Amino acid sequence: MADSWVNLAEILGADLHLELTGPGSRRAVLMRALRQGVRSGRLAPGTKLPPYRSLAADLGIARNTVADAYSELAAEGWLTARQGSGTRVAQGACPSPGRGEVATPVAPVRRQRTAARTVRPTYDLVQGQPDPSAFPRGAWLASARRALTTAPHDAFGPGDPRGRAELREALAGYLARVRGVRTDPRRIVVCSGAAHALRLMAAVAGGRWAVESYGLPFHRGLLADGGIRTTPLPVDEHGARISELGAVGAVLLTPAHQFPTGGPLHPERRAAVVDWARSTGGLVLEDDYDGEFRYDRRPVGAVQGLDPDRVVLMGSVSKSLSPTLRIGWMVLPEHLVDEVVAAKGEREQWSSATEQLTLADFITSGAYDRHVRKMRQRHRRRRDQLVSVLAERAPQVRVTGIAAGLHAVLELPTGSERAVVKAAAWQGLAVEGLADYRHADFPADGRDGLVIGYATPPEHIYAAALDALCRALPPVEQQQP
């Protein structure tokens, strides 16, 4: 069939271009053209399609042919048809493959690391951010008004490279009270987040670092870009194996909740890493990941409190509030403050002074504590829902790392991880496998699993996301010997 322009301007005031080519019946060719339009993004979600009578007349084919094509595409999830609304491209739908056609699956999401996906997933259980709809807009606005009303004139000048004094003072008090940190405002440097903190420390410390064998590839990548060579340090149920630290100048850890396998660093290992730093002159870099979100365990203090002169604590509000605020902090040994400030460089890399003042008020007014407690309850409910659904529908799957944090690890049969990630993609679900987080120099250890970010989806689709997850998991019989 030749290429055709379907001109509906006289009827709908719009044109629709379809490439009607290739083998097959007229219905199959039309369906293929419409699918391709959706895949390419040219027919965006919500786009209203021509009435089938009009399209049939312009194409010179039977009305029933177009009606049948619309009906089948709706059944596959590509289109929706409602009385009074017409036929539209489905909102956020992830189509299932049609008969006789190889469909394009959703490419797994790799935030901050890999290329865009073919079709936007319907559901997102990739770890990395809280539900954006949970941002406390009202309380933040109130803090912003108070902060701007009382801000001194110098807040709108060049500023201090260490960050606003108001925020550093607020952080010193908050971190001492909540995380057991020992510091004063002079030893706190405000940055734009954990990634910025790592870049600054790479510029200051240099050399070879030990990193946990499972962690964020993005962080390892930016360290490599900064000239840091990394050596994987094995992790188990008690966190990083400090006894296996080799000849390195620094070690990067997530002691509050090992990312992504879960669990706090064992007290004996916390003491051991401080002893290592004292005896070797090394530096401990503590990524305070998920330090505020705990559910079934007592609070775990920061390792920094054991030796403020050998430990650098890095934190941010990316998980507790929003990554778009671009505010983080470094609690530094006194001898590193000037070097880090010098490495911070031009003012263009500094966080907004007005948002720093707003966060300072948000903390000192108690709004931050209230928000964290509220989100802790919300995340716990979501975690409990995940565990409950899996216990009912996938009892063969063991869930770990759930005492704290915003994600869980689902243990899978050896060798099944890639297949499950692919199956999830067919369900319109974005998930990541545990292997995505393993250090490239660390040998495969037979640990297959999924890293499930249960804080990410909006509330109204969370249950549907879990349903898609269960459909992607291997059946019980595959777990049995």
Side-chain angles (χ1 to χ4, degrees):
M1 186 180 294
D3 292 356
S4 299
W5 275 96
V6 182
N7 191 335
L8 303 174
E10 295 181 358
I11 301 174
L12 301 175
D15 292 329
L16 175 63
H17 177 60
L18 295 175
E19 297 288 344
L20 301 180
T21 60
S25 66
R26 292 188 173 187
R27 179 177 61 82
V29 170
L30 175 59
M31 291 174 63
R32 184 163 58 242
L34 289 170
R35 289 193 192 100
Q36 182 57 35
V38 176
R39 284 199 193 98
S40 67
R42 193 166 57 81
L43 298 179
T47 299
K48 188 172 183 178
L49 299 183
Y52 67 85
R53 293 180 178 86
S54 300
L55 186 56
D58 285 317
L59 292 177
I61 59 180
R63 295 179 182 180
N64 287 345
T65 299
V66 180
D68 290 346
Y70 277 10
S71 177
E72 187 161 347
L73 289 173
E76 292 176 4
W78 296 88
L79 306 178
T80 60
R82 293 184 177 87
Q83 186 70 30
S85 180
T87 302
R88 297 178 183 269
V89 177
Q91 289 283 356
C94 179
S96 58
R99 291 192 295 269
E101 177 179 342
V102 178
T104 303
V106 176
V109 176
R110 300 288 185 269
R111 282 200 188 95
Q112 302 173 318
R113 298 196 296 280
T114 60
R117 44 209 179 263
T118 306
V119 181
R120 185 174 182 84
T122 306
Y123 312 112
D124 188 352
L125 288 176
V126 175
Q127 69 74 36
Q129 71 174 39
D131 176 4
S133 67
F135 185 80
R137 301 187 188 197
W140 186 260
L141 179 59
S143 286
R145 287 173 173 166
R146 287 193 297 266
L148 291 176
T149 300
T150 60
H153 294 312
D154 67 4
F156 304 97
D160 187 335
R162 294 174 298 173
R164 289 298 305 176
E166 297 89 340
L167 178 56
R168 290 186 285 115
E169 290 172 3
L171 286 170
Y174 176 81
L175 293 172
R177 172 171 56 85
V178 175
R179 304 293 298 122
V181 168
R182 295 160 54 195
T183 191
D184 62 67
R186 296 172 300 172
R187 295 167 65 170
I188 295 178
V189 173
V190 177
C191 56
S192 62
H196 188 200
L198 285 176
R199 288 190 179 98
L200 293 174
M201 289 309 305
V204 169
R208 181 180 288 276
W209 294 10
V211 298
E212 292 164 328
S213 57
Y214 285 87
L216 275 175
F218 174 65
H219 285 174
R220 295 194 294 266
L222 67 86
L223 290 177
D225 292 342
I228 301 296
R229 295 166 294 168
T230 59
T231 300
L233 183 63
V235 297
D236 57 26
E237 67 273 16
H238 299 303
R241 298 178 186 172
I242 303 304
S243 61
E244 298 184 34
L245 270 173
V248 295
V251 57
L252 173 62
L253 301 173
T254 50
H257 188 66
Q258 200 289 319
F259 180 85
T261 62
L265 187 63
H266 192 277
E268 291 182 1
R269 297 184 183 183
R270 293 160 66 89
V273 76
V274 171
D275 289 342
W276 167 85
R278 290 170 178 167
S279 62
T280 65
L283 195 63
V284 179
L285 295 108
E286 180 177 11
D287 183 353
D288 202 27
Y289 187 86
D290 286 345
E292 293 161 313
F293 294 112
R294 62 188 187 278
Y295 314 116
D296 302 322
R297 72 180 192 205
R298 294 180 180 178
V300 177
V303 173
Q304 190 271 357
L306 301 179
D307 193 337
D309 293 327
R310 303 307 319 171
V311 182
V312 175
L313 179 82
M314 301 174 293
S316 77
V317 296
S318 64
K319 303 296 186 296
S320 56
L321 284 171
S322 169
T324 60
L325 294 178
R326 309 307 304 155
I327 297 180
W329 52 84
M330 308 171 68
V331 181
L332 296 161
E334 188 170 0
H335 69 278
L336 289 179
V337 173
D338 290 342
E339 291 184 70
V340 170
V341 169
K344 194 174 178 185
E346 300 297 326
R347 289 196 295 270
E348 285 74 15
Q349 301 184 47
W350 302 357
S351 301
S352 164
T354 55
E355 289 193 339
Q356 289 185 52
L357 290 170
T358 301
L359 179 58
D361 180 272
F362 200 70
I363 293 172
T364 56
S365 69
Y368 188 65
D369 282 274
R370 291 191 292 273
H371 176 70
V372 168
R373 288 196 298 269
K374 176 182 177 181
M375 295 310 298
R376 190 180 294 151
Q377 294 173 354
R378 178 174 179 170
H379 296 329
R380 180 170 186 162
R381 286 196 300 270
R382 288 196 170 199
R383 182 210 62 174
D384 290 348
Q385 186 176 352
L386 168 67
V387 173
S388 176
V389 168
L390 291 174
E392 178 182 352
R393 298 184 54 185
Q396 73 279 12
V397 174
R398 181 169 177 255
V399 189
T400 64
I402 58 175
L406 304 180
H407 73 277
V409 174
L410 277 55
E411 297 183 358
L412 299 175
T414 301
S416 67
E417 181 179 304
R418 294 183 64 181
V420 174
V421 171
K422 184 176 180 180
W426 284 116
Q427 296 295 332
L429 174 65
V431 293
E432 289 181 319
L434 187 59
D436 294 326
Y437 297 90
R438 190 174 66 242
H439 195 289
D441 295 336
F442 190 73
D445 53 5
R447 299 174 69 174
D448 281 40
L450 297 181
V451 179
I452 301 298
Y454 50 78
T456 304
E459 198 73 31
H460 68 283
I461 65 171
Y462 182 53
L466 296 185
D467 183 62
L469 172 65
C470 290
R471 292 197 301 269
L473 292 173
V476 177
E477 55 267 20
Q478 291 189 21
Q479 296 277 343
Q480 297 173 349

